[in-house]
Amino acid sequence: MKLNGTLQILAYADDVNILGGSIHTVKENAEALVAATREIGLEVSADKTKYMVMSRDQNAGRNHSVRIYNSTFERVEEFKYLGTTLTNQNSIAEEINSRLRSGNACYHSVQNVLSSRLLSKNVKINVIYRNIILPVVLYGCETWSLTLREERKLRVFENMLLRRIFGPRRDEVTEEWRRLHYEELNDLYSSPNIMRVIKSRRMRWAGHVAHMGVEMGVYRVLVGKPEEIDHWGDLGVDGWIILGWISRRWDVGIWTGLGWPRIGTGGGRLSVR
């Protein structure tokens, strides 16, 4: 199945998504996908179908609607795809908050184990924290573009867990128990901190995609050029159109505007900007 003559379809298991730079492109590609699914006995659930315009201009696309085969779809400001929260402003803040909530839930489920004296600190750090809790928080971190505010939230979360693992310390002057300071945690925790882990994973993923070459769809998405032709003029906005639907047997969606880091090459070296 060809979509507008270009490779604009992303699929993972039964989640299918189509890139589109304008409402016209989204409609055209959605109709092609709907026609293809009908041939194998699938029907789109109009009530569960949503679309989203990703643009810095919040009024972008207000005068447009997505209507396919006599069904008009609801416009939303955010939705989840493969566990990642996408917003109409392409903001990472909501995704970070969601990851931290999941991390806190995971932490509370094992906090009694972290406080137990039966386990060594090495087991608590390398088995419970790094292999159970941290993967929950850092899901999809390879594509994060963090601000100082988000970085601080992640550090605060990690410090909270480390203080639970290492426990309090008796002050040499007052002889009172107090919680460990940030510098003391750094001395006790020999593994890379959470921000170093994120940066390492981002660079590893960036290098992996850079070696794929321009013919691969994931490379074009990362550099922000999923289409050969620019269709922004069709809508008059500097954004993307996202359409997501659920059929009776498949979870199907059409969306764009991933918050991936941009990748380029200069002077023979990989650069992330």
Side-chain angles (χ1 to χ4, degrees):
M1 180 180 65
K2 279 195 173 183
L3 301 176
N4 199 24
T6 61
L7 297 175
Q8 301 175 70
I9 188 168
L10 300 177
Y12 180 83
D14 58 356
D15 289 302
V16 182
N17 301 271
I18 300 177
L19 303 174
S22 69
I23 286 184
H24 172 75
T25 301
V26 169
K27 287 181 178 179
E28 189 176 83
N29 292 333
E31 289 172 354
L33 184 59
V34 170
T37 56
R38 284 183 173 179
E39 292 179 0
I40 56 177
L42 298 179
E43 295 182 8
V44 172
S45 175
D47 294 335
K48 296 181 180 180
T49 301
K50 316 292 180 184
Y51 80 96
M52 182 169 70
V53 177
M54 300 188 75
S55 173
R56 296 175 182 175
D57 181 7
Q58 292 303 293
N59 294 321
R62 293 293 181 184
N63 297 326
H64 297 76
S65 63
V66 176
R67 185 179 180 86
I68 299 174
Y69 293 122
N70 298 321
S71 297
T72 301
F73 304 135
E74 177 187 356
R75 176 171 175 165
V76 296
E77 296 183 355
E78 67 175 52
F79 68 88
K80 274 187 174 289
Y81 173 68
L82 296 181
T84 299
T85 302
L86 302 174
T87 68
N88 60 347
Q89 295 185 17
N90 200 21
S91 171
I92 196 65
E94 182 56 36
E95 171 62 12
I96 298 299
N97 291 335
S98 175
R99 291 290 100 210
L100 289 175
R101 286 193 295 268
S102 298
N104 273 310
C106 185
Y107 158 70
H108 286 298
S109 68
V110 297
Q111 62 178 336
N112 292 334
V113 179
L114 292 177
S115 302
S116 174
R117 296 183 179 181
L118 300 177
L119 297 178
S120 67
K121 291 181 174 59
N122 183 59
V123 170
K124 293 177 182 178
I125 291 174
N126 293 313
V127 177
I128 299 176
Y129 173 54
R130 294 184 62 83
N131 289 326
I132 297 178
I133 300 176
L134 198 59
V136 173
V137 177
L138 298 187
Y139 174 79
C141 70
E142 292 84 354
T143 63
W144 290 354
S145 181
L146 300 173
T147 65
L148 291 177
R149 177 178 296 179
E150 276 74 50
E151 288 185 9
R152 183 178 182 277
K153 289 181 179 180
L154 291 165
R155 290 196 189 98
V156 168
F157 174 81
E158 182 174 66
N159 290 340
M160 174 195 69
L161 284 168
L162 294 179
R163 288 189 176 99
R164 168 69 70 171
I165 293 172
F166 291 114
R169 171 174 293 182
R170 186 183 292 272
D171 192 281
E172 296 178 354
V173 178
T174 64
E175 295 187 353
E176 294 180 352
W177 291 98
R178 61 170 177 80
R179 71 177 191 171
L180 295 172
H181 299 312
Y182 179 72
E183 296 77 9
E184 295 171 326
L185 289 174
N186 284 340
D187 293 338
L188 293 171
Y189 186 55
S190 58
S191 301
N193 63 45
I194 192 169
M195 292 310 307
R196 291 184 61 186
V197 172
I198 293 174
K199 292 176 181 179
S200 174
R201 293 186 183 183
R202 289 187 63 195
M203 290 303 299
R204 182 174 58 188
W205 171 247
H208 177 67
V209 175
H211 280 85
M212 293 181 180
V214 296
E215 68 278 0
M216 299 298 292
V218 64
Y219 178 92
R220 295 199 299 274
V221 170
L222 279 166
V223 299
K225 298 178 180 179
E227 297 178 271
E228 294 293 333
I229 302 175
D230 190 344
H231 294 288
W232 300 132
D234 295 345
L235 182 60
V237 301
D238 58 342
W240 290 87
I241 312 303
I242 297 176
L243 172 63
W245 71 59
I246 298 177
S247 67
R248 291 185 180 178
R249 288 176 52 196
W250 284 355
D251 292 333
V252 184
I254 296 182
W255 63 285
T256 60
L258 295 176
W260 308 123
R262 296 193 60 193
I263 297 178
T265 55
R269 296 184 301 172
L270 175 67
S271 61
V272 179
R273 58 185 185 274

